[in-house]
Amino acid sequence: MENRPLGIFDSGVGGLTVAREIYQEFPHLNTIYVGDTARVPYGNRSKTTVIRFSREIVEFLMTKKVKAIVVACSTASAQAIDELKAHYDIPIYGVIAPAAKYAANITKTNRVGVIGTRGTIASKQFNHEVLKENNAVSILSKACPLFVPLVEEGIVSGKIAKEVARLYLASFTKDQIDTLIMGCTHYPMLETVIQQTMGEQITIINPGKALVEELKRNPLFSSPQSNKKAIHSWYVTDNPDLFSTIASHILQTEKLIKPKVIRLKEISS
Ligand code: DGL
Protein backbone atom coordinates (compact mmCIF):
# COMPACT_ATOMS: atom_id res chain seq x y z
CA MET A 1 0.00 0.00 0.00
CA GLU A 2 2.73 2.42 1.04
CA ASN A 3 4.40 2.51 -2.36
CA ARG A 4 1.26 2.58 -4.41
CA PRO A 5 1.04 5.77 -6.44
CA LEU A 6 -1.27 8.71 -5.95
CA GLY A 7 -3.40 9.37 -9.05
CA ILE A 8 -3.78 12.98 -10.11
CA PHE A 9 -5.92 14.13 -13.01
CA ASP A 10 -6.94 17.23 -14.87
CA SER A 11 -8.62 18.18 -18.12
CA GLY A 12 -5.14 18.95 -19.46
CA VAL A 13 -1.79 20.30 -18.44
CA GLY A 14 -2.95 22.95 -15.92
CA GLY A 15 -3.34 20.43 -13.11
CA LEU A 16 0.43 20.35 -12.93
CA THR A 17 0.18 23.51 -10.80
CA VAL A 18 -1.45 21.23 -8.22
CA ALA A 19 0.91 18.33 -8.93
CA ARG A 20 3.96 20.55 -8.41
CA GLU A 21 2.80 21.37 -4.88
CA ILE A 22 2.41 17.62 -4.23
CA TYR A 23 5.81 16.77 -5.75
CA GLN A 24 7.40 19.41 -3.56
CA GLU A 25 5.70 18.47 -0.31
CA PHE A 26 5.97 14.68 -0.70
CA PRO A 27 9.31 13.99 -2.40
CA HIS A 28 8.95 10.21 -1.91
CA LEU A 29 5.37 9.85 -3.08
CA ASN A 30 4.98 8.08 -6.44
CA THR A 31 2.37 9.69 -8.67
CA ILE A 32 0.55 9.11 -11.93
CA TYR A 33 -0.86 12.15 -13.70
CA VAL A 34 -3.51 12.05 -16.42
CA GLY A 35 -4.24 15.10 -18.57
CA ASP A 36 -7.24 14.69 -20.86
CA THR A 37 -5.65 16.83 -23.55
CA ALA A 38 -7.91 15.41 -26.29
CA ARG A 39 -11.02 16.83 -24.63
CA VAL A 40 -9.75 19.94 -22.82
CA PRO A 41 -11.31 22.38 -21.91
CA TYR A 42 -13.84 21.06 -19.42
CA GLY A 43 -14.71 24.57 -18.26
CA ASN A 44 -17.62 25.14 -20.63
CA ARG A 45 -19.01 21.59 -20.62
CA SER A 46 -22.14 20.25 -18.96
CA LYS A 47 -22.06 18.52 -15.61
CA THR A 48 -23.08 15.18 -17.17
CA THR A 49 -20.18 15.32 -19.59
CA VAL A 50 -17.64 16.33 -16.95
CA ILE A 51 -18.80 13.43 -14.76
CA ARG A 52 -18.46 10.96 -17.62
CA PHE A 53 -14.99 12.18 -18.63
CA SER A 54 -13.85 12.15 -14.99
CA ARG A 55 -15.09 8.61 -14.48
CA GLU A 56 -13.26 7.41 -17.58
CA ILE A 57 -10.02 8.83 -16.21
CA VAL A 58 -10.61 7.36 -12.76
CA GLU A 59 -11.27 3.94 -14.33
CA PHE A 60 -7.85 4.19 -15.98
CA LEU A 61 -6.18 5.26 -12.74
CA MET A 62 -7.79 2.33 -10.90
CA THR A 63 -6.07 -0.06 -13.33
CA LYS A 64 -2.80 1.47 -12.13
CA LYS A 65 -3.65 0.53 -8.53
CA VAL A 66 -3.55 4.07 -7.17
CA LYS A 67 -4.08 4.40 -3.42
CA ALA A 68 -5.95 7.70 -3.65
CA ILE A 69 -6.93 10.25 -6.27
CA VAL A 70 -6.56 14.01 -6.48
CA VAL A 71 -8.97 15.73 -8.83
CA ALA A 72 -6.65 18.60 -9.71
CA CYS A 73 -9.16 20.17 -12.10
CA SER A 74 -11.42 22.71 -10.38
CA THR A 75 -14.18 22.18 -12.93
CA ALA A 76 -14.15 18.41 -12.38
CA SER A 77 -13.94 18.95 -8.60
CA ALA A 78 -16.98 21.23 -8.83
CA GLN A 79 -19.05 19.00 -11.10
CA ALA A 80 -18.00 15.41 -10.46
CA ILE A 81 -16.53 14.96 -6.98
CA ASP A 82 -19.70 13.66 -5.33
CA GLU A 83 -20.28 11.06 -8.04
CA LEU A 84 -16.65 9.93 -7.93
CA LYS A 85 -16.72 9.59 -4.15
CA ALA A 86 -19.94 7.59 -4.39
CA HIS A 87 -18.52 5.24 -7.04
CA TYR A 88 -15.01 4.45 -5.84
CA ASP A 89 -13.83 3.05 -2.60
CA ILE A 90 -10.56 4.94 -2.24
CA PRO A 91 -9.90 8.44 -0.88
CA ILE A 92 -10.74 11.07 -3.49
CA TYR A 93 -9.70 14.67 -2.96
CA GLY A 94 -10.93 17.68 -4.88
CA VAL A 95 -9.36 21.12 -4.96
CA ILE A 96 -12.46 23.10 -3.98
CA ALA A 97 -13.19 22.14 -0.38
CA PRO A 98 -9.67 22.71 1.05
CA ALA A 99 -9.33 26.17 -0.55
CA ALA A 100 -12.86 27.18 0.43
CA LYS A 101 -12.33 26.07 4.02
CA TYR A 102 -9.06 27.97 4.23
CA ALA A 103 -10.62 31.14 2.80
CA ALA A 104 -13.59 30.91 5.17
CA ASN A 105 -11.22 30.81 8.11
CA ILE A 106 -8.80 33.53 7.17
CA THR A 107 -11.13 36.24 5.88
CA LYS A 108 -11.35 39.10 8.34
CA THR A 109 -14.02 41.07 6.52
CA ASN A 110 -16.12 37.98 5.68
CA ARG A 111 -15.96 38.88 2.03
CA VAL A 112 -14.33 36.36 -0.26
CA GLY A 113 -13.85 36.44 -4.03
CA VAL A 114 -13.72 33.38 -6.27
CA ILE A 115 -12.50 33.22 -9.86
CA GLY A 116 -12.72 30.15 -12.11
CA THR A 117 -14.08 28.73 -15.34
CA ARG A 118 -17.72 29.26 -16.29
CA GLY A 119 -18.55 25.71 -15.18
CA THR A 120 -16.94 26.12 -11.76
CA ILE A 121 -18.55 29.49 -11.09
CA ALA A 122 -21.99 28.32 -12.29
CA SER A 123 -21.79 25.25 -10.02
CA LYS A 124 -21.49 27.50 -6.94
CA GLN A 125 -19.47 24.75 -5.28
CA PHE A 126 -16.99 27.22 -3.79
CA ASN A 127 -19.91 29.19 -2.30
CA HIS A 128 -21.36 26.02 -0.86
CA GLU A 129 -18.08 24.92 0.74
CA VAL A 130 -17.22 28.39 2.10
CA LEU A 131 -20.67 28.75 3.67
CA LYS A 132 -20.47 25.26 5.18
CA GLU A 133 -17.42 26.47 7.10
CA ASN A 134 -18.53 30.02 7.88
CA ASN A 135 -22.04 31.10 7.01
CA ALA A 136 -21.31 34.76 7.69
CA VAL A 137 -19.22 35.06 4.53
CA SER A 138 -20.44 36.84 1.38
CA ILE A 139 -18.96 35.47 -1.81
CA LEU A 140 -18.39 37.40 -5.01
CA SER A 141 -17.52 35.29 -8.01
CA LYS A 142 -16.38 35.86 -11.55
CA ALA A 143 -15.68 33.54 -14.48
CA CYS A 144 -12.40 34.43 -16.19
CA PRO A 145 -12.37 32.26 -19.35
CA LEU A 146 -9.49 34.08 -21.07
CA PHE A 147 -7.00 33.21 -18.33
CA VAL A 148 -6.68 29.58 -19.45
CA PRO A 149 -5.63 30.28 -23.07
CA LEU A 150 -3.30 33.04 -21.86
CA VAL A 151 -1.42 30.58 -19.66
CA GLU A 152 -1.37 27.94 -22.39
CA GLU A 153 0.20 30.51 -24.71
CA GLY A 154 2.81 31.32 -22.07
CA ILE A 155 1.46 34.86 -21.60
CA VAL A 156 1.73 35.11 -17.83
CA SER A 157 3.18 38.61 -17.49
CA GLY A 158 3.35 41.84 -19.45
CA LYS A 159 0.82 44.16 -20.97
CA ILE A 160 -1.72 41.65 -22.31
CA ALA A 161 -1.86 39.57 -19.13
CA LYS A 162 -2.26 42.74 -17.04
CA GLU A 163 -4.99 44.09 -19.29
CA VAL A 164 -7.01 40.86 -19.13
CA ALA A 165 -6.54 40.68 -15.36
CA ARG A 166 -7.78 44.25 -15.02
CA LEU A 167 -10.76 43.48 -17.23
CA TYR A 168 -11.92 40.61 -15.03
CA LEU A 169 -10.81 41.72 -11.60
CA ALA A 170 -12.13 45.28 -11.84
CA SER A 171 -15.50 43.89 -10.81
CA PHE A 172 -14.04 43.25 -7.36
CA THR A 173 -14.00 46.94 -6.68
CA LYS A 174 -11.98 48.41 -3.89
CA ASP A 175 -12.53 47.01 -0.41
CA GLN A 176 -15.13 44.50 -1.57
CA ILE A 177 -13.12 41.44 -0.63
CA ASP A 178 -10.01 40.68 1.45
CA THR A 179 -9.40 37.13 0.13
CA LEU A 180 -9.45 35.78 -3.43
CA ILE A 181 -9.48 32.08 -4.38
CA MET A 182 -7.81 31.20 -7.69
CA GLY A 183 -10.38 28.52 -8.48
CA CYS A 184 -8.84 27.09 -11.63
CA THR A 185 -5.74 25.02 -12.30
CA HIS A 186 -4.11 27.58 -14.58
CA TYR A 187 -4.49 30.69 -12.46
CA PRO A 188 -1.52 30.13 -10.12
CA MET A 189 0.65 30.76 -13.22
CA LEU A 190 -0.84 34.27 -13.24
CA GLU A 191 -0.54 34.79 -9.49
CA THR A 192 1.89 37.70 -9.73
CA VAL A 193 -0.33 39.58 -12.17
CA ILE A 194 -3.44 38.78 -10.12
CA GLN A 195 -1.78 39.96 -6.91
CA GLN A 196 -0.55 43.17 -8.56
CA THR A 197 -3.99 43.88 -9.97
CA MET A 198 -5.81 43.21 -6.70
CA GLY A 199 -3.23 44.94 -4.48
CA GLU A 200 -0.90 43.57 -1.82
CA GLN A 201 -3.53 43.77 0.93
CA ILE A 202 -5.60 40.97 -0.66
CA THR A 203 -4.76 37.37 0.28
CA ILE A 204 -4.65 35.19 -2.82
CA ILE A 205 -5.33 31.49 -2.27
CA ASN A 206 -3.73 28.79 -4.39
CA PRO A 207 -5.93 25.66 -4.06
CA GLY A 208 -2.96 23.34 -4.65
CA LYS A 209 -1.32 24.62 -1.47
CA ALA A 210 -4.53 24.26 0.55
CA LEU A 211 -4.96 20.72 -0.78
CA VAL A 212 -1.44 19.72 0.27
CA GLU A 213 -2.24 20.80 3.84
CA GLU A 214 -5.25 18.47 3.73
CA LEU A 215 -3.19 15.56 2.35
CA LYS A 216 -0.66 16.04 5.15
CA ARG A 217 -3.39 15.16 7.64
CA ASN A 218 -3.88 11.70 6.09
CA PRO A 219 -1.44 9.01 7.32
CA LEU A 220 -1.49 7.59 3.78
CA PHE A 221 0.71 10.54 2.84
CA SER A 222 2.16 11.84 6.08
CA SER A 223 3.90 8.61 7.11
CA PRO A 224 7.25 8.09 5.37
CA GLN A 225 6.60 6.34 2.04
CA SER A 226 10.17 5.22 1.44
CA ASN A 227 13.46 7.03 1.20
CA LYS A 228 13.63 6.53 -2.55
CA LYS A 229 13.01 9.51 -4.76
CA ALA A 230 9.47 9.48 -6.11
CA ILE A 231 8.68 8.16 -9.57
CA HIS A 232 6.27 10.39 -11.48
CA SER A 233 4.59 9.37 -14.71
CA TRP A 234 2.36 11.34 -17.03
CA TYR A 235 -0.34 10.22 -19.43
CA VAL A 236 -2.25 12.30 -21.96
CA THR A 237 -5.05 11.60 -24.40
CA ASP A 238 -3.55 13.74 -27.22
CA ASN A 239 -0.80 16.23 -28.13
CA PRO A 240 2.09 14.96 -26.00
CA ASP A 241 4.53 17.53 -27.39
CA LEU A 242 2.39 20.51 -26.47
CA PHE A 243 1.92 18.99 -23.01
CA SER A 244 5.70 18.65 -22.65
CA THR A 245 6.32 22.27 -23.55
CA ILE A 246 3.77 23.70 -21.11
CA ALA A 247 4.66 21.14 -18.44
CA SER A 248 8.32 22.24 -18.35
CA HIS A 249 7.13 25.80 -17.94
CA ILE A 250 4.73 24.98 -15.08
CA LEU A 251 7.15 22.65 -13.31
CA GLN A 252 10.04 25.02 -14.00
CA THR A 253 12.30 22.25 -15.12
CA GLU A 254 14.71 21.75 -17.98
CA LYS A 255 13.96 18.06 -17.78
CA LEU A 256 11.85 16.74 -20.61
CA ILE A 257 8.43 15.70 -19.33
CA LYS A 258 7.51 12.89 -21.68
CA PRO A 259 3.91 11.75 -21.33
CA LYS A 260 2.55 8.50 -22.74
CA VAL A 261 -0.50 8.77 -24.98
CA ILE A 262 -3.48 6.66 -23.94
CA ARG A 263 -6.98 6.09 -25.18
CA LEU A 264 -9.52 6.08 -22.37
CA LYS A 265 -12.22 3.42 -22.40
CA GLU A 266 -15.62 4.97 -22.96
CA ILE A 267 -18.26 4.42 -20.35
CA SER A 268 -21.94 5.09 -20.75
CA SER A 269 -23.21 7.54 -18.13
N1 DGL B 1 -8.60 22.49 -15.50
C1 DGL B 1 -9.67 23.42 -15.63
C2 DGL B 1 -10.07 23.95 -14.23
O1 DGL B 1 -9.32 23.91 -13.30
C3 DGL B 1 -9.30 24.58 -16.53
C4 DGL B 1 -9.21 24.20 -17.99
C5 DGL B 1 -10.51 23.65 -18.53
O2 DGL B 1 -11.47 24.41 -18.73
O3 DGL B 1 -10.55 22.44 -18.72
O4 DGL B 1 -11.17 24.40 -14.05
Side-chain angles (χ1 to χ4, degrees):
M1 185 69 171
E2 286 300 295
N3 288 330
R4 281 166 62 181
L6 168 70
I8 306 171
F9 81 86
D10 179 41
S11 54
V13 67
L16 289 175
T17 61
V18 177
R20 75 179 174 190
E21 302 296 334
I22 297 172
Y23 300 163
Q24 219 168 323
E25 188 60 44
F26 305 101
H28 307 295
L29 176 66
N30 297 332
T31 69
I32 295 183
Y33 180 99
V34 179
D36 193 5
T37 45
R39 303 189 289 196
V40 69
Y42 283 9
N44 297 323
R45 293 188 188 269
S46 71
K47 184 177 167 90
T48 322
T49 301
V50 174
I51 291 173
R52 179 162 53 85
F53 288 177
S54 301
R55 281 205 47 210
E56 289 172 2
I57 298 172
V58 172
E59 286 293 329
F60 170 78
L61 287 170
M62 295 304 277
T63 67
K64 298 284 175 194
K65 308 260 182 295
V66 293
K67 62 179 168 187
I69 288 176
V70 163
V71 184
C73 178
S74 300
T75 306
S77 297
Q79 314 266 38
I81 198 90
D82 293 340
E83 284 72 10
L84 296 179
K85 284 185 174 170
H87 255 93
Y88 301 96
D89 201 17
I90 57 168
I92 299 190
Y93 290 87
V95 280
I96 294 202
K101 218 178 194 177
Y102 184 66
N105 285 304
I106 63 155
T107 175
K108 294 198 173 66
T109 58
N110 279 342
R111 298 183 76 84
V112 169
V114 178
I115 50 176
T117 63
R118 287 202 176 95
T120 299
I121 298 305
S123 76
K124 294 201 179 298
Q125 271 305 310
F126 273 110
N127 307 44
H128 178 70
E129 294 292 339
V130 168
L131 293 172
K132 226 161 72 183
E133 190 69 13
N134 177 354
N135 64 12
V137 176
S138 315
I139 300 133
L140 279 91
S141 51
K142 176 92 187 159
C144 306
L146 285 175
F147 278 171
V148 167
L150 273 187
V151 170
E152 304 226 332
E153 289 303 318
I155 305 171
V156 294
S157 60
K159 220 166 131 197
I160 298 173
K162 283 186 187 158
E163 229 13 82
V164 177
R166 253 198 295 271
L167 173 79
Y168 287 136
L169 303 176
S171 64
F172 299 109
T173 47
K174 224 169 170 286
D175 300 335
Q176 262 191 321
I177 55 168
D178 69 344
T179 306
L180 178 69
I181 305 174
M182 295 186 288
C184 172
T185 45
H186 291 60
Y187 300 180
M189 297 301 289
L190 288 163
E191 185 164 354
T192 308
V193 170
I194 293 172
Q195 184 80 69
Q196 282 166 354
T197 310
M198 293 302 298
E200 287 305 317
Q201 73 285 7
I202 306 295
T203 305
I204 311 284
I205 297 180
N206 175 347
K209 292 196 194 296
L211 168 85
V212 157
E213 292 308 312
E214 188 101 350
L215 295 181
K216 274 162 54 183
R217 285 193 275 277
N218 185 334
L220 260 188
F221 308 104
S222 57
S223 56
Q225 315 284 309
S226 79
N227 35 25
K228 288 204 197 112
K229 218 166 157 260
I231 301 168
H232 302 301
S233 34
W234 300 275
Y235 293 86
V236 295
T237 48
D238 201 1
N239 288 327
D241 295 341
L242 184 60
F243 182 93
S244 291
T245 308
I246 306 174
S248 306
H249 189 53
I250 295 179
L251 298 176
Q252 289 174 313
T253 176
E254 308 270 286
K255 203 182 116 201
L256 180 67
I257 305 292
K258 225 176 163 337
K260 294 192 187 84
V261 181
I262 48 165
R263 175 170 282 209
L264 296 168
K265 279 207 192 90
E266 280 178 35
I267 56 168
S268 47
S269 24

